[in-house]
């Protein structure tokens, strides 16, 4: 049996704001209503289904593998929008990117406080044959 990841629900303070942030930043099609969710479709068939939540929720971490040109465009928007960003997940290297595994990466927050990461090489890639 082949198992693949299909979707996850992302709690948001404002699902429209969060979904629009994702689609604009990542250059994705507009979110589509699915029941009481707003679904953002990624290119690999996975969707992020945003839901409004008035409850306190712990921030989650979402990492995205992007191409070099997409990294440049996304990082350009992060800088243009004045978003705080870090080269490391502990947020000790502000305003910088990393070059882990022979690629580039950066960490930043979405409007609901979730930790986002974009990378151009999967972890462990530099150790691959």
């Amino acid at each position: 049996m082949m198992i693949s990841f299909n979707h996850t629900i992302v709690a948001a303070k404002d699902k429209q704001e969060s979904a629009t942030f994702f689609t604009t930043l990542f250059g994705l099609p507009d979110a589509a209503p699915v029941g009481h969710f707003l679904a953002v479709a990624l290119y690999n068939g996975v969707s992020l289904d945003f839901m409004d939540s008035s409850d306190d929720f712990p921030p989650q971490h979402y990492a995205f593998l992007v191409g070099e040109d997409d990294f440049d465009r996304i990082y350009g928007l992060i800088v243009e929008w004045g978003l705080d960003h870090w080269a490391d997940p502990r947020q000790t290297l502000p305003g910088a990117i990393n070059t882990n595994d022979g690629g580039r990466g950066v960490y930043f927050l979405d409007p609901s406080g979730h930790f986002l990461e974009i990378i151009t090489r999967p972890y462990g890639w530099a150790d691959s044959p």
Side-chain angles (χ1 to χ4, degrees), residues 3 9 13 22 51 58 74 76 80-81 85-87 102-103 105 110 125:
I3 299 172
I9 296 171
K13 295 174 185 172
F22 270 80
M51 73 169 200
I74 295 166
E80 179 184 321
W81 294 350
H85 59 280
W86 304 268
D110 84 340
W125 183 85

Side-chain angles (χ1 to χ4, degrees), residues 10-89:
V10 180
K13 295 174 185 172
D14 178 327
K15 69 181 178 187
Q16 184 65 59
E17 177 186 32
S18 290
T20 300
F21 175 84
F22 270 80
T23 58
T24 303
L25 185 67
F26 292 123
L28 299 168
D30 290 342
V34 177
H36 62 276
F37 301 103
L38 278 177
V40 172
L42 305 178
Y43 293 115
N44 59 352
V46 172
S47 69
L48 301 174
D49 297 355
F50 291 88
M51 73 169 200
D52 285 325
S53 177
S54 58
D55 297 332
D56 285 335
F57 50 84
Q60 300 296 309
H61 173 73
Y62 300 98
F64 301 90
L65 181 62
V66 301
E68 293 290 342
D69 291 341
D70 288 323
F71 185 95
D72 290 338
R73 186 186 56 72
I74 295 166
Y75 186 66
L77 288 173
I78 290 169
V79 172
E80 179 184 321
W81 294 350
L83 299 178
D84 291 334
H85 59 280
W86 304 268
D88 65 312

Side-chain angles (χ1 to χ4, degrees), residues 85-124:
H85 59 280
W86 304 268
D88 65 312
R90 292 186 181 89
Q91 301 174 341
T92 63
L93 301 168
I97 64 172
N98 67 59
T99 55
N100 299 341
D101 291 295
R104 295 183 292 162
V106 68
Y107 298 82
F108 56 102
L109 301 175
D110 84 340
S112 292
H114 295 298
F115 298 102
L116 306 183
E117 174 185 11
I118 56 171
I119 55 175
T120 60
R121 297 286 185 275
Y123 293 121

